[in-house]
Amino acid sequence: MHDQFDVTLEDGDLLGEVELTTTLIIAASESEGPLSAEEIDRLLGVSPVPHQR
């Protein structure tokens, strides 16, 4: 008999967010002090936006 509540759910975006959050938590727990904005950006794979004048 098929159980209608036995389903596999996978949300790629959610899994990615969990991975990024986990990366930040681990880095923060291993750091001697607060992470800089630059370090957080590096961990998240974010490229800084150049300032325009």
Side-chain angles (χ1 to χ4, degrees):
M1 174 181 255
H2 176 71
D3 181 355
Q4 66 183 4
F5 297 109
D6 184 19
V7 296
T8 301
L9 298 177
E10 186 172 316
D11 183 332
D13 291 336
L14 177 59
L15 291 174
E17 289 180 25
V18 169
E19 183 178 349
L20 291 174
T21 302
T22 303
T23 298
L24 286 175
I25 290 169
I26 292 169
S29 70
E30 294 175 347
S31 178
E32 294 289 324
L35 297 174
S36 68
E38 292 80 17
E39 182 68 8
I40 292 170
D41 286 349
R42 186 187 67 74
L43 290 166
L44 297 177
V46 175
S47 299
V49 177
H51 294 284
Q52 295 180 355
R53 294 181 181 198

